[in-house]
Amino acid sequence: MDVLVQLLLNGIMLGSMYAIIAVGLTLIFGIVRVVNFAHGEFLMIGMYATYLLATKLGWHPYVSAVPVVLLLFCIGALVQRFIIQPLLSADEHIQIFATVGLSTALVNLALMIFGADLYSVATPSARQSVSLGGYTVLSGQLVILACALALVAGLHLFMQRTPLGRAIRATAQNRNAALLMGVAVDRIYIISFGLGAACVGLASALVMPLFPVTPTIGSYFVLTAFVVVVLGGMRSMYGAFLGAMIIGIVDSLSGYYIAPDLKEVVYFAIFILILIFKPTGLFGFGRGTE
């Protein structure tokens, strides 16, 4: 029983990391209706930016979260404005090809600049063990969990209580109706894409003390994030959070009880089953009106 509780705790901590990434992916798809296959590369950019701030300026990765979040917001807004926006009226596969092309370009650009070496930031404070009722987690994992909860709560308040948040929700529900009500839909798309990328910027600063960065680091995280988003519902921010917790627990349990090399097989099997039997996800719903 002690082992099981520890595994569940580890799964929740892992799921909180996936949640921050998946919430950003859900924002982009739910509002802009584009599947961003360069989402993982945004994470990679943020991790390299965090690494540079830590090594060149001596900033703690958590302190660097502020400029990295702003950087990723700007990158996301520019990608939406100059790459995605001209393709919004094109077929969906054209949009997918554009984000896949952007992903490939960013990976190769990182290889040219940084090479294929591993880069990490020595942050002992994030790797300290913390005892919770006899069970152990890392302090960095607790920070990620706290930030994941704060992010979802903050986005909920932003969407519900602010005029901009209500405009974003209106655009997500019905773009044409939002246009008739005077909402600047193109501007909302740019802001929404930027917010989705900013979530990844936050994730990159939080995971940098725990994971080394390489040009292909985004592939691992984004594949899992896609599973989380499909499980939770492609347009449900709360579903993405709950789906991340489920996948984190599945990852932890299957890695221990089955085999570490087969844990991806387990949650990708869940991914396929969800696509077959409930394509809208466990907590999601169908697409709104274009």
Side-chain angles (χ1 to χ4, degrees):
M1 182 59 69
D2 287 342
V3 172
L4 178 60
V5 173
Q6 181 67 61
L7 290 172
L8 292 174
L9 191 59
N10 291 344
I12 291 172
M13 297 301 159
L14 184 62
S16 64
M17 179 177 63
Y18 293 147
I20 299 177
I21 302 171
V23 164
L25 193 61
T26 300
L27 277 174
I28 293 172
F29 179 82
I31 299 164
V32 187
R33 314 290 174 82
V34 170
V35 181
N36 180 24
F37 283 94
H39 203 68
E41 281 58 54
F42 289 172
L43 178 73
M44 177 263 293
I45 292 173
M47 292 182 73
Y48 274 121
T50 304
Y51 168 78
L52 291 175
L53 289 172
T55 55
K56 303 300 182 182
L57 300 180
W59 290 17
H60 192 285
Y62 297 158
V63 176
S64 67
V66 175
V68 171
V69 165
L70 294 175
L71 171 66
L72 266 293
F73 178 88
C74 293
I75 291 175
L78 290 172
V79 167
Q80 167 62 27
R81 175 62 184 86
F82 295 106
I83 298 178
I84 304 300
Q85 199 96 311
L87 300 176
L88 284 179
S89 58
D91 292 337
E92 290 181 347
H93 68 274
I94 300 297
Q95 300 168 2
I96 291 174
F97 289 157
T99 60
V100 170
L102 177 62
S103 169
T104 304
L106 291 175
V107 169
N108 283 278
L109 181 61
L111 283 168
M112 290 173 58
I113 297 174
F114 297 99
D117 296 333
L118 296 171
Y119 292 95
S120 59
V121 175
T123 315
S125 60
R127 293 183 172 272
Q128 291 179 349
S129 297
V130 178
S131 179
L132 297 177
Y135 303 99
T136 303
V137 297
L138 297 180
S139 57
Q141 293 176 320
L142 287 176
V143 172
I144 293 174
L145 176 61
C147 288
L149 293 170
L151 175 65
V152 174
L155 285 174
H156 172 80
L157 292 175
F158 171 72
M159 293 292 186
Q160 298 292 329
R161 303 289 179 85
T162 66
L164 178 57
R166 289 192 287 270
I168 290 174
R169 287 194 295 124
T171 302
Q173 292 172 8
N174 191 309
R175 182 177 66 182
N176 293 329
L179 278 170
L180 292 174
M181 293 295 104
V183 175
V185 170
D186 288 345
R187 175 172 167 266
I188 293 298
Y189 282 168
I190 292 172
I191 293 172
S192 301
F193 208 103
L195 285 174
C199 291
V200 185
L202 175 62
S204 63
L206 295 176
V207 304
M208 190 66 219
L210 304 177
F211 292 89
V213 58
T214 68
T216 58
I217 186 69
S219 300
Y220 170 77
F221 285 104
V222 81
L223 285 175
T224 306
F226 275 117
V227 177
V228 167
V229 170
V230 170
L231 177 64
M234 291 292 284
R235 295 176 57 205
S236 173
M237 180 177 65
Y238 316 108
F241 182 83
L242 295 174
M245 293 299 153
I246 293 172
I247 291 300
I249 291 172
V250 168
D251 185 300
S252 179
L253 294 177
S254 58
Y256 181 83
Y257 288 111
I258 301 176
D261 294 338
L262 296 178
K263 59 185 181 181
E264 287 87 358
V265 175
V266 176
Y267 55 70
F268 274 106
I270 295 174
F271 175 77
I272 293 171
L273 291 173
I274 290 294
L275 285 177
I276 293 172
F277 295 106
K278 200 174 188 301
T280 57
L282 298 179
F283 312 99
F285 42 87
R287 296 183 64 166
T289 303
E290 297 290 340

